[in-house]
Amino acid sequence: MKSLSAKKIAAAALALLLFGNSFAITNAIKIKIEKGSYSDETVIRFLSDATTGFDGSYDAWKLFSSNTAVPNIFTKTSDGDPLAINALPGL
């Protein structure tokens, strides 16, 4: 596997800096929890074509830290599966 060159990394960073706002999530609530120097976040989005189950195009599974000092915040699907990003039907 080839490593990325410094030019490619710099170009990607510049594109993210210049166009980062075009990738912003809309119609969403972001919730952050902090404990000491650790933190965790979850996002709830509202999209007309989302469901209360897992939507592969919109949702993201929650990955938990093995460090018990790290706080965890997440939502659940209608089946009880933990999500870091949860897209729900519009209100």
Side-chain angles (χ1 to χ4, degrees), residues 32-52:
K32 182 177 183 178
I33 187 172
E34 295 179 348
K35 180 181 176 187
S37 62
Y38 299 109
S39 66
D40 192 23
E41 296 179 343
T42 191
V43 175
I44 303 167
R45 297 179 68 189
F46 299 97
L47 303 169
S48 60
D49 53 342
T51 68
T52 58

Side-chain angles (χ1 to χ4, degrees), residues 3 10-11 13 19 21 23-24 28 32 35 44 47 52 54 61 75 83:
S3 63
F19 304 109
N21 287 340
F23 300 115
K32 182 177 183 178
K35 180 181 176 187
I44 303 167
L47 303 169
T52 58
F54 182 79
W61 299 114
T75 60
L83 297 175

Side-chain angles (χ1 to χ4, degrees), residues 10-89:
L14 180 61
L16 184 60
L17 180 65
L18 292 175
F19 304 109
N21 287 340
S22 65
F23 300 115
I25 295 175
T26 58
N27 298 327
I29 299 170
K30 183 189 241 185
I31 303 169
K32 182 177 183 178
I33 187 172
E34 295 179 348
K35 180 181 176 187
S37 62
Y38 299 109
S39 66
D40 192 23
E41 296 179 343
T42 191
V43 175
I44 303 167
R45 297 179 68 189
F46 299 97
L47 303 169
S48 60
D49 53 342
T51 68
T52 58
F54 182 79
D55 298 307
S57 296
Y58 305 123
D59 298 331
W61 299 114
K62 174 66 180 173
L63 300 175
F64 293 94
S65 173
S66 60
N67 183 343
T68 58
V70 176
N72 289 292
I73 189 166
F74 56 94
T75 60
K76 293 183 178 181
T77 65
S78 56
D79 295 328
D81 298 318
L83 297 175
I85 300 173
N86 190 359
L88 297 169

